[in-house]
Amino acid sequence: MPRLGEEVPLTTRYSLIIPFYNEEENAQEVIREARSFLQNLPAHEMILINDGSTDHTGRLLAAEAAADPRVKILNFPENLGQAEALRHGLLAARGEILLTMDGDGQNDPKDFSRLLPAV
C-alpha cells in the first residue's frame, strides 16, 4: 500500500469517454474509428455511455463491451443530457489523460493526434 505522498502508478494512461443518445445508426462507426485511433496508444480504456437511448444504442454498446475488456459501459435509464453523461464518464475514467468526443460522429478521433503532443 502506498504511503502518504507516494505516487500510485496508473495502469490506464488514456480514457476516451463517448456519450451516446439514440445513435444506433452511428455508434458502430464512431466506435470503430475510436478503436482505430486508440490501438496506437498504450494502456487505454473506452467508456461508452448510453444516455437513456430509446433505440438499440444500448444493445450495440453492450456488444462492444462484451467483445473488449477495455470497453466499459455506463447505462442511464433516462436521458440525463450530454453534460451529465460526460460528468459520469469522467468520474468513471481511470486514465491519466482523459479524452472526450460525441457519439454522433461529428468528431474525428484522429484529431487527438494533433492535440496529444501538447499534453
Side-chain angles (χ1 to χ4, degrees), residues 2-14:
R3 294 185 203 152
L4 186 62
E6 282 185 331
E7 283 192 36
V8 177
L10 295 172
T11 58
T12 303
R13 177 128 170 94
Y14 300 93

Side-chain angles (χ1 to χ4, degrees), residues 13-14 36-44 70 99 112 116:
R13 177 128 170 94
Y14 300 93
S36 177
F37 168 73
L38 288 172
Q39 73 183 358
N40 299 314
L41 297 179
H44 65 269
R70 295 170 297 186
L99 308 167
F112 290 126
L116 287 177

Side-chain angles (χ1 to χ4, degrees), residues 5-71:
E6 282 185 331
E7 283 192 36
V8 177
L10 295 172
T11 58
T12 303
R13 177 128 170 94
Y14 300 93
S15 295
L16 175 58
I17 300 118
I18 312 173
F20 293 89
Y21 176 67
N22 289 341
E23 294 293 345
E24 69 180 304
E25 293 186 17
N26 298 316
Q28 288 178 310
E29 180 65 16
V30 168
I31 294 166
R32 185 190 66 73
E33 289 177 0
R35 238 191 212 119
S36 177
F37 168 73
L38 288 172
Q39 73 183 358
N40 299 314
L41 297 179
H44 65 269
E45 69 178 352
M46 193 169 7
I47 299 174
L48 307 176
I49 303 155
N50 177 25
D51 189 17
S53 297
T54 56
D55 62 2
H56 296 295
T57 299
R59 258 188 253 163
L60 294 171
L61 302 185
E64 294 292 337
D68 187 343
R70 295 170 297 186
V71 176

Side-chain angles (χ1 to χ4, degrees), residues 44-106:
H44 65 269
E45 69 178 352
M46 193 169 7
I47 299 174
L48 307 176
I49 303 155
N50 177 25
D51 189 17
S53 297
T54 56
D55 62 2
H56 296 295
T57 299
R59 258 188 253 163
L60 294 171
L61 302 185
E64 294 292 337
D68 187 343
R70 295 170 297 186
V71 176
K72 295 179 181 63
I73 301 290
L74 298 179
N75 278 303
F76 302 136
E78 60 186 32
N79 181 254
L80 301 178
Q82 183 184 28
E84 191 66 9
L86 276 173
R87 185 178 79 79
H88 282 276
L90 291 167
L91 290 171
R94 298 177 311 162
E96 178 183 12
I97 298 171
L98 307 179
L99 308 167
T100 65
M101 58 185 277
D102 293 335
D104 61 6
Q106 73 177 355

